Amino acid sequence: MTIGHNSKKPRAGGVAVDQLKSIIARVEKLTEEKESLAADIRDVFAEAKGGGWDVKAIRSIIKIRKQDASEREEQETVLETYMNALGMLPLFEEDDE
Amino acid sequence: MTIGHNSKKPRAGGVAVDQLKSIIARVEKLTEEKESLAADIRDVFAEAKGGGWDVKAIRSIIKIRKQDASEREEQETVLETYMNALGMLPLFEEDDE
Amino acid sequence: MTIGHNSKKPRAGGVAVDQLKSIIARVEKLTEEKESLAADIRDVFAEAKGGGWDVKAIRSIIKIRKQDASEREEQETVLETYMNALGMLPLFEEDDE
Amino acid sequence: MTIGHNSKKPRAGGVAVDQLKSIIARVEKLTEEKESLAADIRDVFAEAKGGGWDVKAIRSIIKIRKQDASEREEQETVLETYMNALGMLPLFEEDDE
């Protein structure tokens, strides 16, 4: 079994400690920044909720904006066809059937 | 765009309703059973906790039992080598320092 | 620190081995059954896909069926109001604008 | 049903469009930055793997470094007690049995 790395400066147990420390430090720093952004996102949603907005709907909109429009339209069409076939559609089209 | 299926008994909107209903019914039944088992598992852990057991340790044991023993041993060795290199090991080996 | 349990039949290290074994055995059995059901669900979806069905739409339908109808209708209304406000709505209502 | 918000500048459908747009824009910007950091983390691990490091062990170390040392030590002790009771321990203590 080979443990480790291809470094030229091996240390304790054949492990290049500096390289290992650098990897860990970088991952920890990036993770901290990532978690800070996650907290910021939660804050915006909390503020939105506090302002009376429907957070679930906002999440849906953000998801829709990420999708390709024509792809989404096709998905909606398939879903409506299936729902119609199952008699579930009055939900969406009460007026024009 | 083709919506649907290859069935010979098409219905509403070209959709074979019976086949669609069967798929949905089977998934819903299986999902219900799966959720019931998940609740059973939670119950066992709740009972274990109530009996004074450390649930986190029990989860670790179940995870370890699923792993291949030699694979796990190798993983532990690598982890200890890295931890030793980083000076983190007294955690495990209080006696021989 | 107290490790363990309140049992009257302590064994190795103060641990009631039989009780611990029973907990682990039950969780493992239930987990196995749960994973088997998860595999069955995947099989139904694979069969559906093989039959030409749109699996994503079927998942949406199952999700919708789990929701309360009036709650969902309200959610859809909010979403449409927001999308309309943002000028995103032609997606759904090309004809009647 | 009330849709929306408490703003004083209502627009389309009673929705304060600017406020809604601002919420969405901020969440999308933060999410983008968060995903960029997630990609950076993956890159560091890819680089580590390319350098011969055991990524699973590095993840374990980062997890351990986040835990409180005494808490972790206590967890390890409980786990070892349970494993010992179940006859699983030779894994860790080959020498002193």
Side-chain angles (χ1 to χ4, degrees):
Chain A
M1 181 187 58
T2 64
I3 301 165
H5 56 96
N6 308 320
S7 165
K8 323 87 224 166
K9 280 216 290 176
R11 305 273 166 85
V15 166
V17 185
D18 289 348
Q19 211 179 88
L20 182 55
K21 280 186 180 167
S22 157
I23 292 164
I24 291 169
R26 278 182 290 157
V27 170
E28 286 182 342
K29 187 175 162 291
L30 292 165
T31 303
E32 202 181 302
E33 287 170 21
K34 184 165 153 270
E35 282 166 4
S36 163
L37 285 166
D40 290 348
I41 293 168
R42 281 194 299 276
D43 286 348
V44 176
F45 279 125
E47 182 201 313
K49 201 185 170 189
W53 295 96
D54 184 319
V55 166
K56 195 177 259 185
I58 292 176
R59 287 190 189 277
S60 295
I61 284 169
I62 290 167
K63 206 172 152 195
I64 290 165
R65 282 167 55 90
K66 270 177 85 175
Q67 290 179 306
D68 177 68
S70 71
E71 194 192 318
R72 171 160 167 88
E73 211 167 337
E74 191 168 320
Q75 277 174 24
E76 283 294 319
T77 307
V78 178
L79 180 57
E80 283 178 30
T81 305
Y82 287 10
M83 290 182 78
N84 193 39
L86 294 165
M88 293 168 74
L89 255 196
L91 188 61
F92 294 119
E93 307 176 26
E94 287 117 291
D95 25 83
D96 47 29
E97 297 296 81
Chain B
M1 182 188 58
T2 64
I3 300 165
H5 57 92
N6 309 321
S7 164
K8 324 86 223 166
K9 279 217 288 175
R11 303 274 167 84
V15 167
V17 185
D18 288 350
Q19 213 179 87
L20 182 55
K21 281 186 179 165
S22 158
I23 291 164
I24 291 169
R26 279 183 289 157
V27 170
E28 286 182 342
K29 186 175 163 292
L30 292 165
T31 302
E32 203 182 300
E33 287 169 23
K34 185 165 154 270
E35 282 167 3
S36 163
L37 285 165
D40 290 348
I41 293 169
R42 280 194 299 274
D43 286 349
V44 176
F45 280 125
E47 182 199 314
K49 200 185 170 188
W53 297 95
D54 183 318
V55 166
K56 195 176 258 185
I58 293 177
R59 288 191 189 276
S60 294
I61 285 169
I62 290 168
K63 206 172 150 194
I64 290 165
R65 282 168 54 90
K66 272 177 84 174
Q67 290 179 306
D68 177 67
S70 70
E71 193 192 319
R72 171 162 166 87
E73 209 166 338
E74 192 169 320
Q75 277 172 23
E76 283 295 318
T77 307
V78 178
L79 180 58
E80 282 178 31
T81 306
Y82 287 11
M83 290 181 79
N84 193 40
L86 295 165
M88 294 168 72
L89 257 194
L91 187 61
F92 293 120
E93 305 174 27
E94 288 116 292
D95 26 86
D96 47 29
E97 303 291 86
Chain C
M1 183 188 57
T2 64
I3 300 166
H5 56 92
N6 309 322
S7 165
K8 325 86 221 166
K9 280 217 288 175
R11 304 276 166 81
V15 168
V17 185
D18 289 348
Q19 211 179 88
L20 182 56
K21 280 187 181 166
S22 158
I23 292 163
I24 291 169
R26 279 182 290 156
V27 170
E28 286 182 342
K29 188 177 161 292
L30 291 165
T31 302
E32 203 181 302
E33 287 169 22
K34 184 164 154 271
E35 281 167 4
S36 164
L37 285 165
D40 290 348
I41 292 168
R42 280 194 299 275
D43 286 349
V44 176
F45 279 125
E47 183 200 312
K49 199 185 171 189
W53 296 95
D54 184 318
V55 165
K56 193 176 259 185
I58 292 176
R59 287 190 189 276
S60 295
I61 285 169
I62 289 167
K63 207 173 150 193
I64 290 166
R65 282 167 54 90
K66 271 178 84 174
Q67 291 179 305
D68 177 66
S70 71
E71 193 192 319
R72 172 163 165 84
E73 210 166 338
E74 190 169 319
Q75 276 173 24
E76 284 294 319
T77 306
V78 178
L79 180 57
E80 282 178 30
T81 305
Y82 287 10
M83 290 181 78
N84 192 39
L86 295 165
M88 293 168 75
L89 257 196
L91 188 61
F92 293 121
E93 306 174 27
E94 287 115 296
D95 26 85
D96 47 29
E97 302 288 88
Chain D
M1 180 188 55
T2 64
I3 301 167
H5 56 93
N6 309 321
S7 165
K8 325 85 224 165
K9 279 216 288 175
R11 306 276 164 82
V15 166
V17 185
D18 289 348
Q19 209 178 92
L20 183 55
K21 280 186 181 166
S22 157
I23 293 164
I24 292 169
R26 278 183 290 158
V27 170
E28 285 182 343
K29 186 174 162 291
L30 292 165
T31 302
E32 202 182 300
E33 286 170 22
K34 185 165 154 270
E35 282 166 5
S36 164
L37 285 165
D40 290 348
I41 293 169
R42 281 194 299 276
D43 286 349
V44 176
F45 279 125
E47 182 200 312
K49 199 184 172 191
W53 296 97
D54 185 317
V55 166
K56 194 176 259 184
I58 292 176
R59 287 190 189 276
S60 295
I61 284 169
I62 289 168
K63 205 171 150 193
I64 290 164
R65 281 167 54 91
K66 271 177 85 173
Q67 291 179 305
D68 177 67
S70 72
E71 193 192 319
R72 171 162 166 86
E73 210 167 338
E74 191 169 320
Q75 278 173 23
E76 283 295 317
T77 307
V78 179
L79 180 57
E80 281 178 31
T81 306
Y82 286 10
M83 291 182 77
N84 192 39
L86 295 165
M88 293 168 74
L89 254 197
L91 187 61
F92 294 120
E93 306 176 25
E94 286 115 294
D95 26 83
D96 47 28
E97 302 289 87

